[in-house]
Protein backbone atom coordinates (compact mmCIF):
# COMPACT_ATOMS: atom_id res chain seq x y z
CA UNK A 1 0.00 0.00 0.00
CA UNK A 2 1.51 3.42 -0.92
CA UNK A 3 2.43 5.88 1.80
CA UNK A 4 0.20 8.95 2.09
CA UNK A 5 1.83 12.01 0.56
CA UNK A 6 1.00 15.69 0.58
CA UNK A 7 1.56 16.25 4.31
CA UNK A 8 4.68 17.78 5.84
CA UNK A 9 5.17 14.82 8.17
CA UNK A 10 3.03 12.47 10.25
CA UNK A 11 3.74 14.66 13.29
CA UNK A 12 2.68 17.76 11.37
CA UNK A 13 -0.49 16.05 10.19
CA UNK A 14 -1.44 14.82 13.65
CA UNK A 15 -0.90 18.25 15.19
CA UNK A 16 -3.81 19.61 13.11
CA UNK A 17 -7.30 19.65 14.59
CA UNK A 18 -9.44 17.01 12.90
CA UNK A 19 -6.36 15.65 11.13
CA UNK A 20 -8.34 12.75 9.68
CA UNK A 21 -10.03 15.20 7.28
CA UNK A 22 -6.70 15.79 5.53
CA UNK A 23 -6.31 12.16 4.44
CA UNK A 24 -7.37 10.85 1.01
CA UNK A 25 -10.91 9.60 0.53
CA UNK A 26 -11.63 6.04 -0.53
CA UNK A 27 -10.07 4.17 2.38
CA UNK A 28 -10.27 4.25 6.18
CA UNK A 29 -6.80 2.78 6.75
CA UNK A 30 -3.91 5.04 5.74
CA UNK A 31 -0.19 4.25 5.60
CA UNK A 32 1.39 7.46 6.89
CA UNK A 33 5.00 6.37 7.18
CA UNK A 34 7.13 3.30 7.68
CA UNK A 35 5.50 1.36 10.52
CA UNK A 36 2.75 3.96 11.03
CA UNK A 37 -0.92 3.58 10.07
CA UNK A 38 -3.93 5.82 10.71
CA UNK A 39 -7.45 4.39 11.04
CA UNK A 40 -10.26 6.90 10.58
CA UNK A 41 -13.73 5.50 9.71
CA UNK A 42 -16.20 4.30 12.33
CA UNK A 43 -16.23 0.63 11.31
CA UNK A 44 -12.45 0.57 10.83
CA UNK A 45 -11.79 2.18 14.24
CA UNK A 46 -14.08 -0.29 15.97
CA UNK A 47 -12.41 -3.18 14.14
CA UNK A 48 -8.96 -1.95 15.16
CA UNK A 49 -9.83 -1.40 18.82
CA UNK A 50 -11.37 -4.86 19.28
CA UNK A 51 -8.88 -6.76 17.09
CA UNK A 52 -7.09 -9.38 19.23
CA UNK A 53 -3.74 -8.61 17.58
CA UNK A 54 -3.97 -4.83 18.06
CA UNK A 55 -2.37 -4.29 21.47
CA UNK A 56 -1.54 -1.51 23.90
CA UNK A 57 1.76 -2.93 25.12
CA UNK A 58 5.02 -1.87 23.50
CA UNK A 59 8.48 -1.94 25.15
CA UNK A 60 9.38 1.53 23.84
CA UNK A 61 6.24 3.36 24.99
CA UNK A 62 7.16 6.41 27.02
CA UNK A 63 4.25 5.92 29.41
CA UNK A 64 5.46 2.40 30.21
CA UNK A 65 8.99 3.69 30.78
CA UNK A 66 7.74 6.47 33.05
CA UNK A 67 5.12 4.56 35.06
CA UNK A 68 6.30 0.95 34.81
CA UNK A 69 3.70 -1.84 34.36
CA UNK A 70 0.26 -0.26 34.47
CA UNK A 71 -3.35 -0.62 33.32
CA UNK A 72 -3.00 1.50 30.16
CA UNK A 73 0.01 -0.34 28.75
CA UNK A 74 -0.86 -3.96 29.51
CA UNK A 75 -2.81 -6.59 27.59
CA UNK A 76 -4.36 -9.98 28.24
CA UNK A 77 -4.27 -11.43 31.77
CA UNK A 78 -2.14 -8.56 33.11
CA UNK A 79 -4.61 -5.97 31.85
CA UNK A 80 -7.57 -7.90 33.27
CA UNK A 81 -5.78 -8.09 36.62
CA UNK A 82 -5.20 -4.33 36.65
CA UNK A 83 -8.84 -3.63 35.77
CA UNK A 84 -10.03 -6.00 38.48
CA UNK A 85 -8.25 -3.76 40.99
CA UNK A 86 -10.22 -0.72 39.82
CA UNK A 87 -13.61 -2.43 39.66
CA UNK A 88 -14.60 -1.87 43.33
CA UNK A 89 -13.79 1.84 43.07
CA UNK A 90 -15.92 2.24 39.94
CA UNK A 91 -18.87 0.03 40.86
CA UNK A 92 -22.43 1.35 40.52
CA UNK A 93 -22.79 1.38 44.31
CA UNK A 94 -19.62 3.38 44.87
CA UNK A 95 -20.55 5.87 42.13
CA UNK A 96 -23.95 6.33 43.80
CA UNK A 97 -22.08 7.21 47.01
CA UNK A 98 -19.87 9.71 45.18
CA UNK A 99 -22.98 11.26 43.59
CA UNK A 100 -24.46 12.16 46.96
CA UNK A 101 -21.49 12.55 49.30
CA UNK A 102 -18.51 13.68 47.24
CA UNK A 103 -19.47 15.38 43.99
CA UNK A 104 -22.09 17.96 45.09
CA UNK A 105 -19.75 19.93 47.34
CA UNK A 106 -16.95 20.04 44.76
CA UNK A 107 -19.37 21.07 42.01
CA UNK A 108 -20.93 23.81 44.15
CA UNK A 109 -17.47 25.18 44.93
CA UNK A 110 -16.61 25.31 41.24
CA UNK A 111 -19.87 26.97 40.24
CA UNK A 112 -19.51 29.44 43.14
CA UNK A 113 -16.21 30.51 41.58
CA UNK A 114 -17.52 31.01 38.02
CA UNK A 115 -21.01 32.53 38.46
CA UNK A 116 -20.86 36.20 37.48
CA UNK A 117 -17.39 35.73 35.98
CA UNK A 118 -16.06 36.18 32.46
CA UNK A 119 -12.85 34.23 31.81
CA UNK A 120 -10.56 33.63 28.85
CA UNK A 121 -8.80 30.75 30.61
CA UNK A 122 -11.53 28.36 31.74
CA UNK A 123 -9.47 25.23 30.97
CA UNK A 124 -6.44 26.14 33.06
CA UNK A 125 -8.16 28.05 35.84
CA UNK A 126 -11.40 26.15 36.48
CA UNK A 127 -11.94 22.93 34.51
CA UNK A 128 -9.64 20.80 36.66
CA UNK A 129 -11.16 21.58 40.05
CA UNK A 130 -13.97 19.00 40.16
CA UNK A 131 -12.14 16.03 38.55
CA UNK A 132 -8.99 16.62 40.57
CA UNK A 133 -11.02 16.98 43.75
CA UNK A 134 -12.86 13.72 43.03
CA UNK A 135 -9.78 11.69 42.18
CA UNK A 136 -7.69 13.16 45.01
CA UNK A 137 -10.43 12.12 47.44
CA UNK A 138 -10.66 8.65 45.90
CA UNK A 139 -6.88 8.31 46.10
CA UNK A 140 -6.90 9.40 49.72
CA UNK A 141 -4.98 12.62 49.03
CA UNK A 142 -5.51 15.79 51.08
CA UNK A 143 -7.67 18.06 48.89
CA UNK A 144 -5.37 20.93 49.85
CA UNK A 145 -2.88 19.33 47.44
CA UNK A 146 -5.22 19.51 44.42
CA UNK A 147 -3.36 22.42 42.81
CA UNK A 148 -0.01 20.73 43.37
CA UNK A 149 -1.25 17.50 41.75
CA UNK A 150 -2.66 19.55 38.87
CA UNK A 151 0.70 21.27 38.35
CA UNK A 152 2.57 17.96 38.33
CA UNK A 153 0.09 15.94 36.30
CA UNK A 154 -0.74 18.18 33.34
CA UNK A 155 2.67 17.84 31.59
CA UNK A 156 2.34 14.05 31.76
CA UNK A 157 -0.52 14.10 29.24
CA UNK A 158 2.05 14.44 26.47
CA UNK A 159 3.45 11.01 27.34
CA UNK A 160 0.30 9.54 25.79
CA UNK A 161 0.49 11.46 22.49
CA UNK A 162 1.94 10.39 19.17
CA UNK A 163 4.64 11.51 18.80
CA UNK A 164 5.45 11.39 22.49
CA UNK A 165 6.90 14.44 24.18
CA UNK A 166 9.15 12.93 26.80
CA UNK A 167 11.39 15.14 28.93
CA UNK A 168 13.32 15.02 32.18
CA UNK A 169 10.39 16.95 33.68
CA UNK A 170 7.87 14.20 32.92
CA UNK A 171 9.96 11.54 34.66
CA UNK A 172 10.65 13.84 37.60
CA UNK A 173 6.92 14.60 37.93
CA UNK A 174 6.02 10.91 38.00
CA UNK A 175 8.55 10.34 40.79
CA UNK A 176 7.25 13.32 42.77
CA UNK A 177 3.61 12.24 42.40
CA UNK A 178 4.41 8.73 43.60
CA UNK A 179 6.34 10.24 46.52
CA UNK A 180 3.40 12.45 47.49
CA UNK A 181 0.99 9.51 47.33
CA UNK A 182 3.23 7.45 49.61
CA UNK A 183 3.72 10.42 51.94
CA UNK A 184 -0.05 10.83 52.29
CA UNK A 185 -0.43 7.14 53.09
CA UNK A 186 2.28 7.31 55.74
CA UNK A 187 0.59 10.36 57.27
CA UNK A 188 -2.67 8.45 57.55
CA UNK A 189 -4.57 10.84 55.28
CA UNK A 190 -6.08 8.04 53.20
CA UNK A 191 -8.84 5.96 54.74
CA UNK A 192 -9.90 2.38 54.31
CA UNK A 193 -12.12 3.35 51.34
CA UNK A 194 -9.31 5.08 49.42
CA UNK A 195 -8.23 3.80 46.02
CA UNK A 196 -4.88 2.45 47.21
CA UNK A 197 -6.31 0.74 50.26
CA UNK A 198 -9.15 -0.76 48.24
CA UNK A 199 -7.06 -2.05 45.35
CA UNK A 200 -4.41 -3.51 47.66
CA UNK A 201 -7.16 -5.31 49.58
CA UNK A 202 -8.64 -6.54 46.29
CA UNK A 203 -5.23 -7.73 45.12
CA UNK A 204 -4.57 -9.65 48.31
CA UNK A 205 -8.07 -11.13 48.50
CA UNK A 206 -8.06 -12.31 44.89
CA UNK A 207 -4.43 -13.37 44.87
CA UNK A 208 -3.54 -11.08 41.95
CA UNK A 209 0.20 -11.11 41.26
CA UNK A 210 0.96 -7.40 41.16
CA UNK A 211 3.65 -5.64 43.16
CA UNK A 212 3.14 -2.54 45.31
CA UNK A 213 4.94 -0.47 42.65
CA UNK A 214 2.58 -1.75 39.94
CA UNK A 215 -0.43 -0.93 42.11
CA UNK A 216 0.83 2.62 42.66
CA UNK A 217 1.59 3.11 38.96
CA UNK A 218 -1.94 2.03 38.05
CA UNK A 219 -3.36 4.37 40.70
CA UNK A 220 -1.33 7.22 39.22
CA UNK A 221 -2.44 6.42 35.66
CA UNK A 222 -6.04 6.32 36.93
CA UNK A 223 -5.44 9.80 38.33
CA UNK A 224 -3.94 11.09 35.08
CA UNK A 225 -6.58 9.60 32.78
CA UNK A 226 -9.50 10.44 35.06
CA UNK A 227 -8.58 14.04 35.71
CA UNK A 228 -7.24 15.20 32.37
CA UNK A 229 -9.96 13.63 30.22
CA UNK A 230 -12.61 15.13 32.51
CA UNK A 231 -10.94 18.55 32.54
CA UNK A 232 -10.84 18.55 28.75
CA UNK A 233 -14.45 17.45 28.39
CA UNK A 234 -15.76 19.92 30.98
CA UNK A 235 -14.12 22.64 28.86
CA UNK A 236 -15.91 21.30 25.75
CA UNK A 237 -19.14 21.09 27.73
CA UNK A 238 -19.16 24.71 28.87
CA UNK A 239 -18.02 25.79 25.39
CA UNK A 240 -21.13 24.16 23.92
CA UNK A 241 -23.30 25.74 26.61
CA UNK A 242 -21.76 29.11 25.74
CA UNK A 243 -22.45 28.76 22.03
CA UNK A 244 -26.16 28.60 22.81
CA UNK A 245 -26.67 25.23 21.15
CA UNK A 246 -29.40 24.47 23.66
CA UNK A 247 -31.55 26.50 26.04
CA UNK A 248 -30.33 26.19 29.62
CA UNK A 249 -33.79 25.68 31.09
CA UNK A 250 -34.39 22.69 28.80
CA UNK A 251 -31.43 21.00 30.46
CA UNK A 252 -33.28 20.75 33.78
CA UNK A 253 -34.91 17.59 32.39
CA UNK A 254 -32.71 14.56 33.15
CA UNK A 255 -33.42 12.82 29.83
CA UNK A 256 -32.77 15.97 27.81
CA UNK A 257 -29.55 16.56 29.75
CA UNK A 258 -28.39 13.00 29.08
CA UNK A 259 -29.02 13.44 25.34
CA UNK A 260 -27.13 16.72 25.44
CA UNK A 261 -24.12 15.12 27.13
CA UNK A 262 -24.04 12.25 24.64
CA UNK A 263 -23.99 14.65 21.71
CA UNK A 264 -21.19 16.77 23.23
CA UNK A 265 -19.25 13.55 23.86
CA UNK A 266 -19.73 12.52 20.23
CA UNK A 267 -18.57 15.86 18.85
CA UNK A 268 -15.81 16.52 21.39
CA UNK A 269 -14.37 13.23 22.66
CA UNK A 270 -11.63 14.19 25.13
CA UNK A 271 -9.22 11.68 23.58
CA UNK A 272 -9.31 12.15 19.82
CA UNK A 273 -6.62 9.62 18.91
CA UNK A 274 -5.75 6.29 20.52
CA UNK A 275 -2.32 4.77 19.94
CA UNK A 276 -2.13 0.97 19.57
CA UNK A 277 0.34 -1.48 18.03
CA UNK A 278 0.15 -4.47 15.73
CA UNK A 279 1.21 -7.47 17.82
CA UNK A 280 1.25 -9.64 14.68
CA UNK A 281 0.78 -9.17 10.96
CA UNK A 282 -2.92 -8.37 10.51
CA UNK A 283 -5.47 -6.70 8.28
CA UNK A 284 -7.93 -3.91 9.07
CA UNK A 285 -10.70 -3.35 6.52
CA UNK A 286 -8.66 -5.52 4.14
CA UNK A 287 -5.47 -3.43 4.46
CA UNK A 288 -2.35 -5.29 5.58
CA UNK A 289 -0.71 -3.86 8.70
CA UNK A 290 2.70 -5.41 9.46
CA UNK A 291 3.70 -6.56 12.92
CA UNK A 292 5.07 -3.84 15.26
CA UNK A 293 3.39 -1.02 13.29
CA UNK A 294 1.84 1.81 15.29
CA UNK A 295 -1.92 2.06 14.72
CA UNK A 296 -3.48 5.47 15.35
CA UNK A 297 -7.25 5.08 15.77
CA UNK A 298 -9.14 8.35 15.29
CA UNK A 299 -12.02 8.50 17.75
CA UNK A 300 -12.86 11.95 16.39
CA UNK A 301 -13.07 10.57 12.86
CA UNK A 302 -15.20 7.62 13.96
CA UNK A 303 -17.61 9.94 15.78
CA UNK A 304 -18.05 12.20 12.74
CA UNK A 305 -18.33 9.49 10.10
CA UNK A 306 -21.15 10.56 7.71
CA UNK A 307 -21.92 6.91 6.98
CA UNK A 308 -23.02 6.52 10.60
CA UNK A 309 -24.20 10.02 11.62
CA UNK A 310 -26.29 12.28 9.39
CA UNK A 311 -24.78 15.78 9.19
CA UNK A 312 -21.98 14.62 11.52
CA UNK A 313 -20.56 18.10 12.23
CA UNK A 314 -23.94 19.44 13.30
CA UNK A 315 -24.92 19.54 16.99
CA UNK A 316 -28.15 17.54 17.03
CA UNK A 317 -29.54 15.88 20.15
CA UNK A 318 -31.85 12.91 19.89
CA UNK A 319 -29.89 11.29 17.09
CA UNK A 320 -29.16 7.53 17.40
CA UNK A 321 -25.91 7.14 19.31
CA UNK A 322 -25.08 3.63 18.15
CA UNK A 323 -21.50 3.93 16.94
CA UNK A 324 -20.48 6.88 19.13
CA UNK A 325 -17.17 5.97 20.78
CA UNK A 326 -16.19 8.74 23.23
CA UNK A 327 -14.85 6.20 25.73
CA UNK A 328 -13.47 3.80 23.06
CA UNK A 329 -14.48 0.13 22.79
CA UNK A 330 -12.89 -3.23 23.46
CA UNK A 331 -10.78 -4.43 26.36
CA UNK A 332 -9.28 -0.97 26.91
CA UNK A 333 -12.55 0.98 26.92
CA UNK A 334 -12.53 3.61 29.66
CA UNK A 335 -13.46 1.96 32.99
CA UNK A 336 -14.47 5.30 34.49
CA UNK A 337 -17.13 6.22 31.91
CA UNK A 338 -20.07 6.06 34.32
CA UNK A 339 -18.21 8.02 36.98
CA UNK A 340 -17.42 10.72 34.40
CA UNK A 341 -20.99 10.92 33.07
CA UNK A 342 -22.34 11.30 36.60
CA UNK A 343 -19.90 14.14 37.27
CA UNK A 344 -20.78 15.91 34.00
CA UNK A 345 -24.54 15.63 34.52
CA UNK A 346 -24.39 17.06 38.04
CA UNK A 347 -22.19 19.91 36.85
CA UNK A 348 -24.60 20.91 34.07
CA UNK A 349 -27.53 20.70 36.49
CA UNK A 350 -25.79 23.06 38.92
CA UNK A 351 -24.83 25.54 36.17
CA UNK A 352 -28.42 25.55 34.93
CA UNK A 353 -29.69 26.18 38.46
CA UNK A 354 -27.28 29.04 39.13
CA UNK A 355 -26.82 30.75 35.74
CA UNK A 356 -29.34 32.67 33.65
CA UNK A 357 -27.11 32.29 30.63
CA UNK A 358 -23.68 31.08 29.56
CA UNK A 359 -22.25 33.10 26.68
CA UNK A 360 -19.14 32.85 24.51
CA UNK A 361 -17.90 36.45 24.32
CA UNK A 362 -14.83 35.77 22.13
CA UNK A 363 -14.15 32.72 20.00
CA UNK A 364 -11.19 32.16 17.68
CA UNK A 365 -12.25 28.55 17.08
CA UNK A 366 -9.03 27.08 18.44
CA UNK A 367 -8.76 23.38 19.20
CA UNK A 368 -6.24 21.35 21.16
CA UNK A 369 -6.19 18.21 19.04
CA UNK A 370 -3.87 15.84 20.84
CA UNK A 371 -4.55 13.90 24.02
CA UNK A 372 -7.24 15.46 26.18
CA UNK A 373 -8.67 17.48 23.31
CA UNK A 374 -10.79 20.59 23.94
CA UNK A 375 -11.68 23.99 22.41
CA UNK A 376 -9.14 26.76 23.06
CA UNK A 377 -8.77 30.50 22.66
CA UNK A 378 -12.26 31.52 23.73
CA UNK A 379 -13.76 33.68 26.46
CA UNK A 380 -16.91 32.71 28.30
CA UNK A 381 -19.23 34.51 30.72
CA UNK A 382 -21.43 32.81 33.33
CA UNK A 383 -24.28 35.19 34.05
CA UNK A 384 -25.98 35.08 37.42
CA UNK A 385 -29.56 33.89 37.63
CA UNK A 386 -31.62 36.55 39.43
CA UNK A 387 -32.32 35.59 43.02
CA UNK A 388 -29.47 33.07 43.18
CA UNK A 389 -26.33 33.57 45.21
CA UNK A 390 -23.23 34.63 43.29
Amino acid sequence: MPTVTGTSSPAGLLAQPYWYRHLPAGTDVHHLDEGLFAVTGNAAVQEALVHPSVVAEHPLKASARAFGPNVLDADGPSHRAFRALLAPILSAGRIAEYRTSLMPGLIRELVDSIVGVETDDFYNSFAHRVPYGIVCTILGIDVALVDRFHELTRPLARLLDYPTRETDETHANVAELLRLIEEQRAAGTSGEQSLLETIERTRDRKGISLTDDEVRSTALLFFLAGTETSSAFITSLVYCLGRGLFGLDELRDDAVRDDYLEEVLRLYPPVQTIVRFAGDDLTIQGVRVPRHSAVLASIAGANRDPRVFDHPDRFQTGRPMRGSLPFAVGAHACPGAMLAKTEFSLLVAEIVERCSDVVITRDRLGMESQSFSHPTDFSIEFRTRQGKRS
Side-chain angles (χ1 to χ4, degrees):
M1 179 181 180
T3 301
V4 171
T5 58
T7 56
S8 57
S9 68
L13 169 69
L14 295 164
Q16 300 180 66
Y18 310 113
W19 56 262
Y20 60 90
R21 292 174 174 166
H22 300 275
L23 295 173
T27 181
D28 292 330
V29 183
H30 307 266
H31 189 191
L32 300 184
D33 203 350
E34 187 66 30
L36 178 61
F37 288 77
V39 182
T40 57
N42 191 279
V45 168
Q46 293 204 51
E47 181 180 340
L49 293 180
V50 303
H51 198 296
S53 294
V54 175
V55 299
E57 190 170 1
H58 192 284
L60 299 181
K61 282 183 75 172
S63 53
R65 292 198 301 270
F67 294 98
N70 65 79
V71 68
L72 293 186
D73 297 316
D75 295 290
S78 295
H79 181 251
R80 289 191 291 273
F82 280 121
R83 286 182 75 105
L85 297 181
L86 296 175
I89 297 294
L90 301 172
S91 68
R94 191 67 71 88
I95 291 172
E97 292 178 17
Y98 302 149
R99 182 185 182 94
T100 57
S101 64
L102 171 58
M103 295 181 184
L106 293 169
I107 288 170
R108 279 194 299 271
E109 287 179 13
L110 170 61
V111 178
D112 280 346
S113 68
I114 60 176
V115 169
V117 168
E118 181 178 4
T119 176
D120 62 1
D121 194 26
F122 180 84
Y123 176 66
N124 288 307
S125 298
F126 299 101
H128 67 283
R129 295 187 183 180
V130 171
Y132 272 78
I134 290 171
V135 180
C136 271
T137 302
I138 291 173
L139 269 173
I141 305 299
D142 187 341
V143 292
L145 293 174
V146 162
D147 287 340
R148 177 60 174 154
F149 267 77
H150 178 234
E151 175 189 356
L152 290 167
T153 302
R154 183 143 287 174
L156 301 183
R158 295 309 186 192
L159 289 172
L160 307 180
D161 281 340
Y162 186 94
T164 294
R165 301 182 196 177
E166 188 176 4
T167 65
D168 290 341
E169 178 192 29
T170 55
H171 289 272
N173 284 15
V174 169
E176 176 64 8
L177 284 162
L178 289 170
R179 187 194 69 77
L180 283 172
I181 289 171
E182 195 55 39
E183 182 181 84
Q184 291 286 290
R185 291 197 74 192
T189 301
S190 61
E192 291 187 0
Q193 296 296 307
S194 76
L195 174 66
L196 282 174
E197 296 294 336
T198 300
I199 63 179
E200 288 188 356
R201 249 191 337 269
T202 303
R203 175 195 62 181
D204 297 341
R205 187 176 68 251
K206 294 188 174 183
I208 297 172
S209 298
L210 294 174
T211 67
D212 287 349
D213 285 346
E214 290 169 341
V215 167
R216 284 159 179 71
S217 291
T218 279
L220 188 51
L221 259 295
F222 172 82
F223 188 99
L224 170 60
T227 52
E228 288 302 304
T229 52
S230 290
S231 297
F233 183 71
I234 287 170
T235 302
S236 299
L237 191 60
V238 302
Y239 177 79
C240 288
L241 290 174
R243 288 188 62 197
L245 299 175
F246 225 71
L248 288 192
D249 284 338
E250 294 181 73
L251 295 172
R252 293 177 182 275
D253 183 280
D254 290 346
V256 173
R257 191 164 63 248
D258 288 346
D259 284 348
Y260 182 87
L261 290 172
E262 292 294 344
E263 181 67 345
V264 181
L265 282 165
R266 184 188 69 82
L267 282 168
Y268 295 99
V271 178
Q272 287 208 353
T273 307
I274 294 176
V275 183
R276 295 285 185 264
F277 301 90
D280 294 296
D281 291 343
L282 57 96
T283 62
I284 301 172
Q285 298 286 290
V287 176
R288 181 179 176 273
V289 178
R291 184 185 181 196
H292 298 318
S293 298
V295 178
L296 309 182
S298 175
I299 296 295
N303 279 4
R304 294 186 185 225
D305 188 334
R307 293 162 294 186
V308 178
F309 303 102
D310 291 335
H311 305 291
D313 297 325
R314 179 184 299 171
F315 190 97
Q316 180 179 312
T317 60
R319 67 165 79 237
M321 281 298 165
R322 185 179 178 87
S324 182
L325 313 174
F327 298 102
V329 292
H332 282 269
C334 175
M338 292 310 300
L339 175 67
K341 286 184 178 182
T342 301
E343 169 189 350
F344 303 149
S345 181
L346 290 176
L347 176 59
V348 172
E350 184 71 10
I351 290 174
V352 168
E353 179 66 22
R354 301 278 304 282
C355 294
S356 63
D357 208 355
V358 178
V359 180
I360 296 289
T361 55
R362 177 184 61 86
D363 190 1
R364 295 184 179 172
L365 304 177
M367 191 73 183
E368 171 57 57
S369 63
Q370 298 283 22
S371 291
F372 314 118
S373 174
H374 58 90
T376 63
D377 205 7
F378 67 94
S379 299
I380 190 164
E381 182 180 359
F382 300 86
R383 295 174 181 169
T384 307
R385 187 177 290 276
Q386 189 172 7
K388 297 292 182 181
R389 68 185 188 277
S390 58

